[in-house]
């Protein structure tokens, strides 16, 4: 059974940084893509970033490009989201997700991901 557990959320001032972690277990993820999504109150869940577990190539939403970095640690089975230059509009619950289909392209819709973590709150104050 796949389990994804996020950590690292919190309250930070605008311009600050946070690093989110997603510990994955229950399966070999080498063929998977791992994604981060976020959902603000009253809004739909939106794609933030993704990484292909084996190759390490990445993809970002335009809103976070240049500020956020997704990475993975093979040995720890953990995916990270380093968030710099945070803005109040980054405030949301952040979710880690796994896409098991191993497609050649990154999938950006929440419904394309098979497994989800419980989410971690990120709040950026102005």
């Amino acid at each position: 059974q796949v389990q994804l557990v996020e950590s690292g959320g919190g309250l930070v001032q605008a311009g600050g940084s946070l690093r989110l972690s997603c510990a994955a277990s229950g399966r070999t993820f080498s063929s998977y893509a791992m994604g981060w999504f976020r959902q603000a109150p009253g809004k739909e869940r939106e794609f933030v970033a993704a990484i292909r577990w084996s190759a390490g190539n990445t993809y970002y939403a335009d809103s976070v490009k240049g500020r956020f970095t997704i990475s993975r640690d093979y040995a720890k089975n953990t995916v990270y989201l380093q968030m710099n230059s945070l803005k109040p509009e980054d405030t949301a619950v952040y979710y880690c997700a796994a896409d098991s289909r191993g497609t050649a392209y990154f999938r950006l819709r929440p419904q394309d991901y098979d497994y989800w973590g419980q989410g971690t709150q990120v709040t950026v104050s102005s």
Side-chain angles (χ1 to χ4, degrees), residues 10 33 36 42 52 60 63 76-77 95-96 108 113 119 123-124:
W36 285 98
R52 200 161 303 284
Y60 296 93
S63 59
K76 295 183 179 179
N77 247 21
Y95 297 91
C96 176
L108 308 184
Y113 285 71
T123 303
V124 184

Side-chain angles (χ1 to χ4, degrees), residues 22-92:
C22 172
S25 62
R27 180 156 306 198
T28 300
F29 294 93
S30 57
S31 64
Y32 282 42
M34 303 296 293
W36 285 98
F37 288 76
R38 66 186 181 186
Q39 188 166 18
K43 295 189 175 182
E44 293 187 351
R45 193 168 297 190
E46 65 173 1
F47 172 82
V48 175
I51 187 168
R52 200 161 303 284
W53 197 278
S54 57
N57 51 318
T58 59
Y59 188 82
Y60 296 93
D62 287 344
S63 59
V64 306
K65 203 173 294 183
R67 299 189 298 123
F68 290 11
T69 302
I70 188 171
S71 63
R72 87 275 189 251
D73 185 321
Y74 235 105
K76 295 183 179 179
N77 247 21
T78 299
V79 177
Y80 301 100
L81 185 68
Q82 177 66 43
M83 305 185 295
N84 298 329
S85 302
L86 282 161
K87 305 175 182 179
E89 51 264 43
D90 294 318
T91 295

